[in-house]
Amino acid sequence: PHSLHLATTFNALGFLSRKPLDRLPGYILPNGPSKLRARGRVTPAEQAAFARQARADTASFLHARAAELVPGGILMIQVFGCDGPHRTCDGIYDLLNDAVLGLLDEGRITGDQYELYYQPVYFRTLEEITSLVAGAEAPLARLFRLERAESYQVPVSFVEAFRESGDMETYARHYVGFFRAFTEAVLRHAFSDHARLDDLVREVYQRCESLLKANPERYPFRYVAVAALMTRLGPKAS
């Protein structure tokens, strides 16, 4: 306790500590589909449940870091998120959702399985990251002072390379390989009782590549980051 002068986090905060709802019937991600694709739906009540969970996770995170930092210590937060019309989740989750829906349409998975499967990840706005500490009346303003906060887009290597080369095969392979790295484990868990799980998982990501190559304009990807710099206040955490 009270031994660190600097604490940082990169993206970990985006993964929810628990699933506030057992199922998400209309889409595979709490933030819902992109406006461009608009295939699927997350209701306002469902969105509110995930927003509450994300806020509780942020509060728990800030309390833990406050306990570790010395007064005057620095906390630096960065996480994938949303910035106005652009969201990091757009494109990649539309593509994954379309691939899984293809299996549903063919009877390869059931409607119940689809509803129970979703990625427990939440993409916050900058306000959602900072609202607990920003301003004298904020709930955790006694623990941290907000020094700086911003959102920005980060260039994506495989997107930039595709713009230069037009090589669709390489683009699709790298694009799908990128999000497979952080979605496959949840997919496998959700369909763990499937008789041919390895084949199912392999086909999902193969379908993603095929869908992307057929209609790349449906699945544009931007990396939006939200970041905040805070200073620890007071002698100890509550």
Side-chain angles (χ1 to χ4, degrees), residues 22-190:
D22 289 335
R23 60 182 66 219
L24 198 59
Y27 195 66
I28 63 168
L29 186 78
N31 295 82
S34 70
K35 292 181 180 180
L36 175 63
R37 189 74 182 112
R39 187 183 187 191
R41 181 171 184 261
V42 175
T43 68
E46 290 165 342
Q47 290 176 338
F50 287 100
R52 287 193 299 270
Q53 182 61 52
R55 184 175 176 84
D57 286 351
T58 303
S60 295
F61 172 84
L62 291 173
H63 276 288
R65 301 295 79 77
E68 297 167 344
L69 286 162
V70 299
I74 298 298
L75 172 62
M76 190 160 52
I77 298 172
Q78 188 279 343
V79 65
F80 43 74
C82 309
D83 177 15
H86 303 307
R87 312 184 310 171
T88 306
C89 52
D90 292 342
I92 54 176
Y93 288 100
D94 288 337
L95 183 55
L96 183 57
N97 187 65
D98 282 353
V100 175
L101 283 177
L103 296 178
L104 176 62
D105 292 342
E106 294 172 8
R108 304 278 302 283
I109 61 173
T110 67
D112 192 57
Q113 286 176 312
Y114 176 77
E115 292 186 5
L116 288 167
Y117 163 61
Y118 68 85
Q119 297 282 329
V121 183
Y122 186 78
F123 291 75
R124 293 167 174 80
T125 63
L126 190 59
E127 193 275 337
E128 287 177 306
I129 287 289
T130 61
S131 61
L132 287 167
V133 301
E137 302 304 315
L140 301 185
R142 70 190 186 284
L143 298 182
F144 288 100
R145 179 176 66 246
L146 181 64
E147 305 290 357
R148 179 179 175 183
E150 63 180 303
S151 59
Y152 50 93
Q153 289 195 40
V154 180
V156 179
S157 60
F158 56 82
V159 174
E160 297 297 314
F162 177 59
R163 287 173 179 163
E164 291 290 327
S165 69
D167 183 347
M168 180 59 71
E169 289 289 334
T170 299
Y171 174 61
R173 185 172 69 253
H174 288 174
Y175 184 124
V176 175
F178 165 72
F179 73 80
R180 181 173 183 170
F182 52 83
T183 60
E184 181 175 349
V186 179
L187 183 72
R188 282 185 172 274
H189 178 73

